[in-house]
Amino acid sequence: MYLTDRSAPAGADTERGRRRGLRPKVAPVVLVLGTVSLITDISSEMVTAVLPLYLVTTLGFSPLGFGALDGVYNGVSALVQLTGGHLADRVRNHKLIAGLGYGLSALCKPLLLLTSSIGALGTVLALDRTGKGLRTAPRDAMISLSTPSERQGRAFGIHRAMDTTGAMLGPLAAFLILNAAADGYDAVFGVSACVAVLGVVVLVLFVPGRGQDSRPAGAGGPRDTAPDGADVPQDAPLDTTRPPVRFREALDLLRLPRLRALAGCAALLGLTTVSDAFVYLLLQRRAGLAEEWFPLLPLGTAVVFLLLAVPLGALADRVGRHTVFLAGHLALLTAYALLLWAPATPALPFLVLALHGVFYAATDGVLPAALAATVPEHLRASGLAIVGTSQALARFCCSLGFGAAWTIWGYGPALAGSAVGLLCCAAVAGLVLRPTGGAR
């Protein structure tokens, strides 16, 4: 792991690299944040891997009840992202707000040991996702502001690959704990809490704080302007004399046509993106997998995500981020088709999980990378939060709707409706996201 040299002046490493005619391929802060995400995702995915089975089989939740909790788990962070992004821009301290988010999520893990009712579980999961909502936009803003605009896709791909390494190790750890411990679920929740605390410690010790960020030449998006209208060089440090960002100023970002298009398309596609938990439950039923193998299903998605996140991020930088983003949704549509119509052969789980991993590798880091050339640097976290919020709210609605449709009509018609909707939404997004000018 690369550690940031906290004793060096801001921009010193970058300046030395420029004098030598070299440029680092990835900023150290990206690697450190990737390490934090790796550790945190081990903790989070340990819980995520067992939660669907725990709720449906152990606690006896119906698909509708599970859909409501899954919607809370994946959607409550939506509104909080706006708060986290705005606060990070307002106080000009992305690390502080991200740290609060990581810390809140870590505090919630032990509470899972004490809850069993739908109300209590919903409250704990909402608090956990509140932490995720607080940290996501500031973390992605730190990545974006430390990376040249032409390498945004690669940087986010590297971060997401490290994050996905944690997502791969988390289900594996849960699988081993469930098979080794007498009270398997309680053991998973307890170990998850300990790992989450370690992620917070790494963030506090090794991620540079306020005033320590440096931006390489060409980093970020549009050039900021000084009060007299002169351009501020791209490699200048963040302007600490700028007045605090007002909430209205952040909302005014919606006047940017490209940001509106990205937020609208993210929401439109999110309305038909079935949550991971439902995909794994459907796959278990269609393939006839034994319950003890269920925690390993997210591992298949994570392996493919890990292998393809960086290559697809770099490809998006070259051929266009909107192209790769839409291609990822077509991979998800193919996975839906296999779940609906493919025979239950031994190859089915591998094919579905591979396509699911391709979907995430082509979309999860590519979407925030597409904002680099659109949102001013001093509002970067707010812009990321607006797009992330639109997507998360849509997926929240999808979880509720899919759970209700499964309860009323069964999983086949529910998934078929999602597949048709995704095809239509992808076609609309393809028209809206066509590049204009220099947009990618």
Side-chain angles (χ1 to χ4, degrees):
M1 181 179 75
Y2 288 82
L3 304 183
T4 304
D5 184 0
R6 302 176 67 158
S7 63
D13 290 340
T14 304
E15 182 61 33
R16 284 195 296 268
R18 279 203 297 269
R19 283 200 300 266
R20 296 172 185 171
L22 300 174
R23 233 185 226 183
K25 291 186 176 181
V26 59
V29 70
V30 176
L31 299 174
V32 180
L33 286 170
T35 302
V36 174
S37 293
L38 186 155
I39 296 170
T40 303
D41 241 36
I42 292 175
S43 169
S44 298
E45 293 303 322
M46 286 176 66
V47 174
T48 302
V50 302
L51 195 61
L53 208 60
Y54 175 66
L55 295 177
V56 174
T57 63
T58 302
L59 300 184
F61 283 23
S62 68
L64 179 58
F66 173 70
L69 275 182
D70 187 65
V72 168
Y73 192 71
N74 291 292
V76 76
S77 63
L79 296 177
V80 183
Q81 279 194 55
L82 288 174
T83 303
H86 174 65
L87 285 176
D89 286 336
R90 184 175 180 82
V91 304
R92 293 188 291 274
N93 192 335
H94 297 104
K95 176 184 176 179
L96 173 63
I97 305 303
L100 290 175
Y102 280 109
L104 180 58
S105 293
L107 287 174
C108 289
K109 296 298 189 300
L111 298 180
L112 292 171
L113 296 167
L114 309 175
T115 57
S116 59
S117 67
I118 189 170
L121 277 169
T123 301
V124 173
L125 294 177
L127 289 173
D128 179 70
R129 295 298 91 180
T130 297
K132 179 177 175 60
L134 282 174
R135 70 181 183 249
T136 299
R139 179 203 65 201
D140 284 353
M142 284 190 280
I143 295 171
S144 181
L145 291 171
S146 66
T147 305
S149 58
E150 70 274 9
R151 294 179 182 168
Q152 293 280 323
R154 179 185 177 88
F156 277 103
I158 289 172
H159 174 268
R160 297 311 195 256
M162 297 179 72
D163 180 272
T164 306
T165 302
M168 181 174 64
L169 296 176
L172 183 59
F175 173 77
L176 295 175
I177 292 171
L178 281 178
N179 284 274
D183 298 321
Y185 290 113
D186 287 350
V188 168
F189 298 150
V191 174
S192 172
C194 296
V195 176
V197 171
L198 177 60
V200 177
V201 171
V202 174
L203 175 81
V204 171
L205 293 181
F206 300 119
V207 174
R210 181 176 182 175
Q212 293 176 299
D213 294 311
S214 62
R215 295 177 295 166
R223 296 171 70 92
D224 286 341
T225 55
D228 60 0
D231 284 335
V232 177
Q234 289 283 357
D235 55 350
L238 288 172
D239 183 6
T240 57
T241 64
R242 183 190 295 275
V245 173
R246 296 170 298 170
F247 189 67
R248 181 181 180 84
E249 188 179 359
L251 289 181
D252 283 345
L253 287 172
L254 289 171
R255 295 181 180 179
L256 300 174
R258 192 66 180 171
L259 185 137
R260 284 202 310 270
L262 287 169
C265 289
L268 190 64
L269 292 164
L271 286 172
T272 53
T273 301
V274 177
S275 76
D276 297 355
F278 275 125
V279 169
Y280 299 142
L281 284 171
L282 288 168
L283 182 56
Q284 185 209 18
R285 296 193 176 202
R286 286 281 287 112
L289 297 173
E291 288 186 1
E292 59 264 27
W293 295 105
F294 185 86
L296 291 183
L297 294 181
L299 182 63
T301 298
V303 168
V304 179
F305 191 173
L306 173 63
L307 293 174
L308 296 182
V310 177
L312 289 182
L315 179 66
D317 289 336
R318 293 196 302 270
V319 305
R321 288 152 195 157
H322 73 288
T323 302
V324 175
F325 182 72
L326 291 174
H329 283 85
L330 293 180
L332 182 64
L333 182 62
T334 306
Y336 288 177
L338 290 177
L339 286 172
L340 283 168
W341 298 300
T345 64
L348 179 62
F350 297 98
L351 291 174
V352 171
L353 294 175
L355 289 166
H356 201 225
V358 170
F359 161 69
Y360 276 111
T363 59
D364 194 62
V366 171
L367 182 60
L371 286 171
T374 301
V375 181
E377 293 178 353
H378 70 288
L379 292 170
R380 188 65 52 83
S382 298
L384 288 163
I386 289 173
V387 175
T389 294
S390 64
Q391 184 181 62
L393 280 176
R395 291 184 176 179
F396 169 76
C397 294
C398 183
S399 287
L400 294 179
F402 190 84
W406 185 343
T407 302
I408 297 171
W409 298 302
Y411 69 82
L415 185 59
S418 296
V420 172
L422 180 58
L423 180 61
C424 297
C425 292
V428 173
L431 295 175
V432 174
L433 292 180
R434 286 181 300 179
T436 56
R440 303 193 70 180

